[in-house]
Amino acid sequence: MRVLHCFYNTFSQLYHLTTFHSRFISRVVCAFNMGKRSRQRQKEHQKNSKPGGRDSRDNAGWGAGYADIVKENKLFELYYKELGLVPEGEFDQFMEAMREPLPATIRITGYKSHAKEILHCLKNKYFKEIQEVEIDGQKIEAPQALSWYPDELAWHTNMSRKILRKSPLLEKFHQFLVSETESGNISRQEAVSMIPPLLMKIEPHHKILDMCAAPGSKTAQLIEMLHSDMDIPFPEGFVIANDVDNKRCYLLVHQAKRLNSPCIMVVNHDATCIPRLQIDIGDGVKDTLFYDRILCDVPCSGDGTMRKNIDVWKKWTTSNSLHLHGLQIRIAVRGVEQLAVGGRMVYSTCSLNPIEDEAVIATLLEKSEGALELADTSAELPGLKWLPGVSKWKLMTKEGQWYNDWSEVPANRHTQIRPTMFPPTNTEKLAQMKLERCMRILPHHQNTGGFFVAVLVKKASMPWNKRHPKLKKDLSSSSVPQPENSPVGTPLPDAPQEDGKVEVKEEVVKVEVKEEVGVEEKEAAENFPKETEDLTPEPKVCGPPPNKKMKLHGFKEDPFVFLAEDDPVFPPIQNFYDLSPNFPKTNVLTRTHEGKKRNLYIVSKELRNVMLNNSERMKVINTGVKVLSRNSDGEEFGCAFRLAQEGIYTLFPYIRSRLITISVEDIKVLLTQENPYLSKLEDDSHQQAKKIGMGSIVLRYQPDKSNPDGPQCPIELCGWRGKTSIRAFVPRNERFHYLRMLGVEVFRDKQGQGPGTRDVNGEEKVDGEETVKEVVNPGEVVVGETEKGIKDGGIKDEVKMEVTSP
């Protein structure tokens, strides 16, 4: 046995040793092969690359890159040349523009009261300085305002990344754009992407649905338009922004949160079956929620984005549009079903293919039987160059086979090619559709991307929503017939119905969205049945399905808990800030059922109504704006919650105490010094501060019309009154924003060079370390952030900005 045991141990050691050597040799060989392939690719790249290499990419416009990708697709050229969508004699210009990098476009947030201040700063400071800059002996082309965007709030420029790096003035301009973008005052957005929200004609009372919202640039525009009047903290309308991709929903949240609106809700659903919601209209009566405006920016093949999405050149094929056509119709159908009569739905794609554009619109118009019509938008955006929609087109497969009509399509292709992809054969119906009212934007006309937009107006209920199954006589008495104007496939609670309204009892049936919503409607959308007999249900089918939990995908969100009006958290807040009696306590929510409430958020009354009546019908990712944050050190001063800067414009109209009116010089002190003494404020502000006890405060600047050089809009800042000092609680980028509005120069030196530069801990910078400094004025340097608490007030984890002198 001992001999066998020794033999076994020796064999095991040899085996492990052999295995180790085998793995080691395999890794060496793999690394050698990878290095060999890498060297081969490098040689091929050097051999095939044009002079200039990376520089040739940098010399292109913003968004340029991938210089080694050949911008050529013969099938694309053949297809669009044959369709004749480009005016005669312009095809070469069209293709040349498609190969050019897309210019960068910025849009100033229009609803904020200081949009004019930002525009003034751009035009009279940065743009003037840019005009005087010369790079390699050539003057820089100054940014130009988009002629068709209202109030000069959108601009485009062709400056490249390399050019921006070559001049400190241009680098300063770039930092301005980045900082203001993070603060929500400027958005980087493609020019043609700005068109759909402008055509929606939004007013503050409109209920808006954005069906495919991510990444959120259009959603931000919708929010801006809703808040066109800054004196109204809670507009009657709201925006529900939806996206099917859970991860992209969080990009959407990031975009929306920059605008600090209590009227935005981000949800995560498949747009083809987005749930039909209910709202309480008073006296225990519920009604179906129909939207006044719907943005239907559907997924598309994206051949209009070739200027910025270089991969499309390689991946484009006619099959892309054939695969997306059905999805686009289903999304659009679901949109018009939820649109209120008299409302507008804007359908848009970044594709030039008629199968994704006019074919979808023609299908909607034909099956709506007059319930929809195309709006004439020719006079709505003066200055925008566009071509009318087409009424004739044909279809091509990726093999190059053309089909002019459905009758030509062989039977083996019927699963890929559908009749709705072709133009209507009835010439009279085709003329009545007025497809020429669609808008086609070509890239070479105004140096933009390619785009398609159509505006649909709903004149009556959709015909398939009017056709309902007849109930069989042997159904139980608890099942209730659906009224004629109730949408197909929307189960309603058990109660007598009249005019589409439901008398609500204490027990309300809650329905699982995936199973309940859109089953019959999706069938109607795909088949558009002409006969109602096919929809007759079996017994015990017309009532609501059994209660089920919604199937959640992606991250699990914390619950949204609305506080009761008599919640014990309110009295200290009410007394400390002397909130006005009309403060909407019931609109306040938190994100936890148990424990101490860390943050308090607020939503509009209408969004609260939607959330309370549809808690199990939809998956909410985010909503509301933070107005108060817990600060344990504040309890000794009378209130455990301090004001949050992101919600100050919403909460300020209700605050009647702890207000300090400050001047321009006071703002400069508060935003450039970490914890200044009260004596550093001007006399009037100092006297006001002395009368207020320690704790959270509001610092307000009122425009002085006698001083035209100062900001001409009100500014509200959150602050903290310490024992002998005062400070502003404002995020770094917002500090820079307000300082720029006051005419103070702010510039980040990424190298951290210069006399007197200190690191974030206040110590001298060691050679080789990178430190960030902000040059505020000659002789002043503002350095980065720390999490060091205030010695004199007790607040922690806030932005700290330290001023030192060289």
Side-chain angles (χ1 to χ4, degrees):
M1 285 295 291
R2 290 180 181 177
V3 174
L4 289 174
H5 185 69
C6 292
F7 176 78
Y8 173 77
N9 288 338
T10 306
F11 178 79
S12 298
Q13 291 174 4
L14 286 171
Y15 173 78
H16 288 300
L17 186 63
T18 306
T19 305
F20 171 77
H21 280 97
S22 175
R23 290 176 180 171
F24 176 76
I25 292 169
S26 298
R27 290 175 181 174
V28 170
V29 172
C30 181
F32 175 79
N33 289 335
M34 289 177 65
K36 186 177 179 180
R37 287 194 294 269
S38 178
R39 289 190 295 272
Q40 287 175 348
R41 283 195 299 267
Q42 190 174 0
K43 287 180 181 179
E44 290 176 3
H45 178 73
Q46 291 174 354
K47 181 179 178 181
N48 298 327
S49 63
K50 298 179 181 179
R54 178 177 290 273
D55 287 344
S56 63
R57 278 188 266 172
D58 290 332
N59 284 326
W62 289 356
Y66 308 99
D68 51 335
I69 295 180
V70 178
K71 297 179 181 179
E72 194 169 311
N73 189 309
K74 295 297 183 183
L75 189 65
F76 175 85
E77 293 187 43
L78 173 66
Y79 183 71
Y80 281 109
K81 191 176 288 185
E82 182 68 23
L83 285 181
L85 300 178
V86 181
E88 190 175 351
E90 296 183 16
F91 195 81
D92 290 341
Q93 298 175 42
F94 166 74
M95 290 305 302
E96 185 179 345
M98 291 291 273
R99 293 186 177 98
E100 289 294 320
L102 191 69
T105 317
I106 61 172
R107 178 175 53 79
I108 300 170
T109 302
Y111 84 92
K112 294 194 174 180
S113 57
H114 42 98
K116 292 181 179 178
E117 300 293 328
I118 300 173
L119 180 60
H120 182 268
C121 183
L122 273 172
K123 291 173 67 175
N124 295 287
K125 179 174 177 53
Y126 291 101
F127 291 169
K128 279 187 177 180
E129 291 177 348
I130 288 171
Q131 290 175 352
E132 300 171 0
V133 174
E134 288 189 5
I135 302 292
D136 298 332
Q138 292 185 347
K139 278 197 171 184
I140 297 297
E141 181 184 347
Q144 300 293 322
L146 296 180
S147 59
W148 46 268
Y149 201 95
D151 303 323
E152 290 188 320
L153 291 179
W155 297 71
H156 72 96
T157 176
N158 285 314
M159 287 182 292
S160 70
R161 286 188 290 265
K162 182 180 179 182
I163 290 176
L164 284 172
R165 288 197 297 265
K166 280 190 173 183
S167 167
L169 282 175
L170 296 183
E171 174 67 16
K172 205 184 304 181
F173 172 56
H174 184 248
Q175 289 183 15
F176 167 80
L177 294 180
V178 171
S179 176
E180 294 295 332
T181 298
E182 292 180 9
S183 299
N185 300 308
I186 283 179
S187 293
R188 293 279 298 276
Q189 183 180 358
E190 189 178 347
V192 290
S193 173
M194 304 175 190
I195 296 172
L198 292 176
L199 294 175
M200 293 177 74
K201 291 187 173 180
I202 290 172
E203 297 178 14
H205 65 275
H206 282 157
K207 299 172 179 62
I208 307 164
L209 172 64
D210 191 349
M211 301 188 72
C212 308
S217 56
K218 298 183 186 71
T219 308
Q221 265 184 286
L222 300 177
I223 298 171
E224 291 174 29
M225 296 172 180
L226 208 59
H227 288 273
S228 57
D229 187 350
M230 276 293 288
D231 294 330
I232 303 176
F234 293 102
E236 291 182 19
F238 56 78
V239 177
I240 295 180
N242 173 71
D243 201 86
V244 67
D245 190 317
N246 184 265
K247 291 180 181 178
R248 284 168 61 86
C249 281
Y250 291 92
L251 292 176
L252 186 54
V253 170
H254 174 72
Q255 281 274 32
K257 284 179 76 69
R258 296 183 308 126
L259 300 180
N260 300 326
S261 170
C263 304
I264 170 70
M265 181 165 66
V266 176
V267 298
N268 178 205
H269 290 284
D270 181 353
T272 62
C273 53
I274 190 167
R276 188 184 298 280
L277 306 180
Q278 291 182 344
I279 53 175
D280 190 348
I281 59 174
D283 297 327
V285 178
K286 284 190 178 182
D287 199 1
T288 302
L289 171 63
F290 289 98
Y291 300 94
D292 302 298
R293 298 289 186 268
I294 294 180
L295 177 56
C296 187
D297 187 52
V298 296
C300 64
S301 61
D303 55 24
T305 68
M306 284 180 163
R307 299 184 67 177
K308 66 174 182 179
N309 295 330
I310 313 299
D311 284 347
V312 179
W313 284 98
K314 292 194 303 181
K315 297 178 180 178
W316 188 91
T317 174
T318 54
S319 297
N320 297 342
S321 57
L322 302 182
H323 295 153
L324 288 166
H325 174 80
L327 174 66
Q328 292 162 341
I329 288 180
R330 290 195 298 274
I331 294 175
V333 164
R334 190 60 180 161
V336 295
E337 285 174 348
Q338 301 216 25
L339 185 65
V341 174
R344 277 191 165 205
M345 185 178 88
V346 174
Y347 176 89
S348 62
T349 73
C350 47
S351 170
L352 299 173
N353 199 325
I355 295 171
E356 303 177 60
D357 300 336
E358 285 90 350
V360 175
I361 298 300
T363 301
L364 283 176
L365 292 172
E366 184 175 5
K367 303 305 180 181
S368 73
E369 299 177 6
L372 298 174
E373 75 170 18
L374 276 169
D376 184 2
T377 57
S378 57
E380 291 187 16
L381 292 178
L384 177 65
K385 295 179 181 178
W386 55 277
L387 295 176
V390 296
S391 55
K392 291 184 180 180
W393 62 89
K394 50 186 178 178
L395 185 148
M396 184 179 74
T397 64
K398 64 180 180 180
E399 295 82 15
Q401 177 68 44
W402 287 96
Y403 299 111
N404 293 287
D405 188 77
W406 169 248
S407 60
E408 300 177 3
V409 181
N412 62 345
R413 293 273 192 178
H414 283 185
T415 55
Q416 303 165 351
I417 301 173
R418 305 298 300 156
T420 53
M421 296 177 181
F422 295 93
T425 53
N426 188 320
T427 54
E428 185 178 346
K429 278 188 178 180
L430 189 60
Q432 290 175 352
M433 289 179 182
K434 300 178 180 177
L435 292 177
E436 66 276 4
R437 289 184 174 179
C438 300
M439 303 173 70
R440 291 185 150 269
I441 294 102
L442 298 183
H444 64 289
H445 284 164
Q446 281 181 305
N447 196 15
T448 64
F451 210 69
F452 174 87
V453 191
V455 180
L456 292 160
V457 177
K458 190 171 181 178
K459 296 293 185 181
S461 296
M462 306 309 293
W464 57 87
N465 286 134
K466 294 179 182 178
R467 302 188 179 105
H468 297 282
K470 295 180 180 179
L471 300 181
K472 295 187 177 181
K473 295 181 180 179
D474 58 345
L475 291 180
S476 63
S477 59
S478 62
S479 298
V480 182
Q482 299 213 12
E484 289 186 17
N485 59 351
S486 175
V488 173
T490 306
L492 299 176
D494 301 342
Q497 304 175 17
E498 184 179 355
D499 297 330
K501 299 176 183 177
V502 184
E503 188 71 25
V504 181
K505 299 180 180 179
E506 290 184 1
E507 296 183 1
V508 179
V509 179
K510 294 183 179 180
V511 191
E512 198 279 319
V513 173
K514 299 288 183 182
E515 302 292 333
E516 173 261 322
V517 178
V519 175
E520 291 177 327
E521 290 177 345
K522 279 204 292 185
E523 293 175 358
E526 294 172 358
N527 304 318
F528 298 101
K530 297 295 182 182
E531 301 296 335
T532 59
E533 287 78 5
D534 296 335
L535 295 177
T536 304
E538 294 297 326
K540 301 181 182 180
V541 173
C542 69
N547 185 19
K548 297 180 182 178
K549 290 184 179 180
M550 181 186 294
K551 298 176 183 177
L552 299 179
H553 302 280
F555 300 103
K556 183 180 179 182
E557 287 293 328
D558 293 329
F560 293 85
V561 183
F562 282 95
L563 303 186
E565 198 166 1
D566 58 351
D567 193 288
V569 77
F570 283 125
I573 297 173
Q574 187 97 30
N575 296 332
F576 193 72
Y577 299 106
D578 190 19
L579 298 181
S580 59
N582 62 341
F583 173 68
K585 297 179 184 177
T586 55
N587 293 6
V588 176
L589 59 86
T590 184
R591 300 298 300 270
T592 179
H593 281 291
E594 300 174 355
K596 287 187 176 181
K597 301 168 181 66
R598 182 179 176 187
N599 295 310
L600 299 182
Y601 305 84
I602 196 166
V603 297
S604 65
K605 176 183 176 182
E606 288 72 19
L607 267 188
R608 177 182 182 274
N609 189 349
V610 171
M611 295 180 69
L612 289 178
N613 287 287
N614 303 277
S615 59
E616 292 192 14
R617 290 173 177 263
M618 58 185 183
K619 180 184 176 184
V620 179
I621 300 296
N622 195 276
T623 191
V625 59
K626 183 167 69 174
V627 289
L628 292 160
S629 287
R630 178 173 290 278
N631 171 41
S632 55
D633 294 331
E635 291 186 15
E636 60 182 289
F637 308 130
C639 182
F641 287 89
R642 66 172 180 82
L643 302 169
Q645 180 64 29
E646 51 261 59
I648 190 61
Y649 285 98
T650 301
L651 192 59
F652 177 78
Y654 303 100
I655 299 175
R656 298 185 297 184
S657 72
R658 305 196 64 79
L659 304 172
I660 299 177
T661 303
I662 55 177
S663 65
V664 170
E665 294 304 316
D666 292 331
I667 297 178
K668 291 179 183 179
V669 170
L670 289 164
L671 296 184
T672 58
Q673 298 187 28
E674 175 196 353
N675 204 20
Y677 288 108
L678 294 174
S679 57
K680 289 196 174 184
L681 298 177
E682 294 195 339
D683 291 341
D684 185 37
S685 308
H686 187 194
Q687 293 302 319
Q688 295 178 60
K690 286 168 64 177
K691 296 177 182 177
I692 296 178
M694 295 176 64
S696 186
I697 55 174
V698 181
L699 303 158
R700 190 174 202 226
Y701 165 80
Q702 290 280 25
D704 183 2
K705 294 182 179 180
S706 63
N707 179 19
D709 295 330
Q712 296 302 304
C713 62
I715 297 173
E716 282 94 31
L717 307 176
C718 291
W720 184 268
R721 159 73 157 91
K723 185 181 297 183
T724 59
S725 64
I726 192 169
R727 68 170 297 177
F729 284 146
V730 182
R732 185 182 63 178
N733 285 310
E734 285 196 43
R735 288 178 178 245
F736 298 162
H737 162 70
Y738 290 121
L739 287 171
R740 291 188 188 101
M741 288 176 61
L742 301 177
V744 179
E745 184 58 54
V746 182
F747 178 64
R748 177 180 298 175
D749 180 4
K750 293 184 178 178
Q751 275 67 43
Q753 297 175 353
T757 303
R758 296 175 180 266
D759 64 13
V760 294
N761 296 315
E763 300 176 354
E764 293 294 328
K765 184 179 74 70
V766 180
D767 291 341
E769 291 182 349
E770 181 181 75
T771 205
V772 177
K773 69 176 182 178
E774 311 293 339
V775 179
V776 177
N777 270 326
E780 291 185 334
V781 179
V782 181
V783 286
E785 304 175 4
T786 71
E787 295 185 358
K788 184 180 179 182
I790 300 180
K791 299 175 183 177
D792 190 28
I795 293 294
K796 299 179 181 179
D797 298 328
E798 293 295 338
V799 176
K800 169 186 172 185
M801 301 186 68
E802 180 181 347
V803 178
T804 60
S805 298

